[in-house]
């Protein structure tokens, strides 16, 4: 039971409700306190002003007209104030009193300051045989040899305090109810969507990969989170499908050389020494082909991990292309293909020299492999200009690649049907695509009419 209660309290909905409740109660408490102090302060200030004004008028009258006129004025005001809240009392020499109080308050000093006292009026309502006790706020001053007292009835101040306390309790109760309602509304509206996402994720983990987190269409933060999650889920599914496809391609491409290797080794059993040597050389060649495939996979994994980003430096593309052309010219001549160079000076970019060189040799090797005898392969570099970064281009006059297949051939182990009989692992263009992505370069496969043009454009901000 305690554990369930702890889980409910630790939930976001409960914590949010408690936070809103604390904020609401604090705000209401501050407002109530301000109203309480302001109301009582205004009441006390008004009483003080009235008392001070009355005393000032009476003292001025005494100064101008003397004691007898003051006695008559206090008597008049006492009679006219009956049933109201003002009290007057003048104690003359000899102890005679004038005003609407029976006697001078025993505990009142002539401090000329406001004081609170409790008295019974000389005249007024009676409850049985007991006079009604009044709470007064008074001030006494010396007027010559006489003492003057003026005060206000503040009995209603207690009623005002009681009313304010009742209002404060009502406001706090309303704040509590509002907080509970707000917390429930938030839990149902917002946290309900989170729970829906959790349910969808649970179903996806259970194997329902087609599930997607629903969106409300309002475009708020929850919709953005759901969209990001759906894109991540779709990408994850695409990668799983691609992994399955790559596995199938590996099995398809490696099954044939492994089968040939096994047949070669089987046929060598019982043969002569020279035949066994020939079979071993053939098996070694097949093994080298397999190792080349796995080395290509390892290189792709290293490139896609981004571990080589720190090895980049400014490199002149024309020098890099010139070295590759020099390396492949003998191979091209043997197949009757001519290599042409169109190298523009100043084409530089910040890159990994080894990876770009290997990508360039992969492109030239593919071009030689698929170009017809007597064809031309053009390698070009273009310097950055007009918002476009430096470019590295390899163009051949071979059969080219259909537009619908140009994206697919950049994936691992993808080989078109017409190239199945040619040597290769199906990793050449995927390696080039991974290197381009590592360098934030744009890789475009275009129609050279005839043939294929591969254009790798480096971002201008990386230009040296």
């Amino acid at each position: 039971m305690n554990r369930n209660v702890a889980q409910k309290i630790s939930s976001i909905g409960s914590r949010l409700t408690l936070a809103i409740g604390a904020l609401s109660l604090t705000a209401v408490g501050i407002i109530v306190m301000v109203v309480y102090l302001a109301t009582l302060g205004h009441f006390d200030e008004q009483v003080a002003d009235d008392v001070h004004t009355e005393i000032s008028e009476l003292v001025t009258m005494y100064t101008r007209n003397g004691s007898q006129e003051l006695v008559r004025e206090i008597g008049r005001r006492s009679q006219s104030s009956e049933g109201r809240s003002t009290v007057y009392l003048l104690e003359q020499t000899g102890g005679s009193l004038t005003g609407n109080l029976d006697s001078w308050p025993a505990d009142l000093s002539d401090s000329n300051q406001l004081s609170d006292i409790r008295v019974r009026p000389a005249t007024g309502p009676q409850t049985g045989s007991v006079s009604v006790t009044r709470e007064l706020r008074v001030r006494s001053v010396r007027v010559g040899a006489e003492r003057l007292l003026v005060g206000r009835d503040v009995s209603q101040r207690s009623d005002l305090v009681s009313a304010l306390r009742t209002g404060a309790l009502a406001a706090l109760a309303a704040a509590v109810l509002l907080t509970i309602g707000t917390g429930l509304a938030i839990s149902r509206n917002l946290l309900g969507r989170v729970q829906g996402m959790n349910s969808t994720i649970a179903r996806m983990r259970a194997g329902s990969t087609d599930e997607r987190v629903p969106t409300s269409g309002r475009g708020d933060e929850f919709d953005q989170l759901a969209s990001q999650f759906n894109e991540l889920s779709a990408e994850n599914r695409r990668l799983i499908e691609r992994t399955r496809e790559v596995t199938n391609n590996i099995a398809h491409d490696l099954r044939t050389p492994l089968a040939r290797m096994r047949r070669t080794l089987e046929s060598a059993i019982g043969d002569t020494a020279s035949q066994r040597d020939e079979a071993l050389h053939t098996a070694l060649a097949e093994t080298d082909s397999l190792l080349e495939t796995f080395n290509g996979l390892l290189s792709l994994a290293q490139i896609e991990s981004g571990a080589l980003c720190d090895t980049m430096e400014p490199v002149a593309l024309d020098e890099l292309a010139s070295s590759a052309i020099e390396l492949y010219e003998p191979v091209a001549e043997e197949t009757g293909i001519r290599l042409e160079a169109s190298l523009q000076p100043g084409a530089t970019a910040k890159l990994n020299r080894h990876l770009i060189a290997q990508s360039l040799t992969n492109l030239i090797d593919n071009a030689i492999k698929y170009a017809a005898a007597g064809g031309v392969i053009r390698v070009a570099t273009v310097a950055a200009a007009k918002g476009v970064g430096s470019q590295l281009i390899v163009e051949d006059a071979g059969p080219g690649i259909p537009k619908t297949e140009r994206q697919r051939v950049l994936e691992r182990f993808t080989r078109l049907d017409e190239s199945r009989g040619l040597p290769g692992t199906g990793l050449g263009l995927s390696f080039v695509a991974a290197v381009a992505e590592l360098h934030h370069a744009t890789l475009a496969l275009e129609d050279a009419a005839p043939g294929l043009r591969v254009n790798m454009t480096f971002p201008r901000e990386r230009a040296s």
Side-chain angles (χ1 to χ4, degrees), residues 134-150:
R134 303 173 68 188
E135 296 179 4
L136 302 177
R137 182 161 296 172
V138 300
R139 176 187 171 193
S140 64
V141 296
R142 286 280 180 179
V143 183
E146 301 167 348
R147 290 194 300 178
L148 174 64
L149 179 149
V150 178

Side-chain angles (χ1 to χ4, degrees), residues 317-318 320-322 324-325 339-344 347 351 356 359-365 367 376-384 388-397 432 441-448 451-458:
L317 295 179
D318 54 338
L320 198 67
S322 178
I325 293 172
L339 276 176
E340 291 184 355
S342 177
L343 307 181
Q344 184 176 353
L351 46 83
I356 296 299
S359 298
L360 181 58
T361 56
N362 281 357
L363 294 176
I364 296 176
D365 184 72
V376 177
I377 297 175
R378 187 173 70 93
V379 180
T381 59
V382 181
V388 180
S390 299
Q391 302 176 53
L392 181 62
I393 302 171
V394 177
E395 180 181 317
D396 63 59
V432 175
T442 301
L443 183 66
L445 305 185
E446 303 166 346
D447 189 1
L452 178 70
R453 179 187 299 111
V454 180
N455 187 337
M456 185 182 295
T457 304
F458 296 91

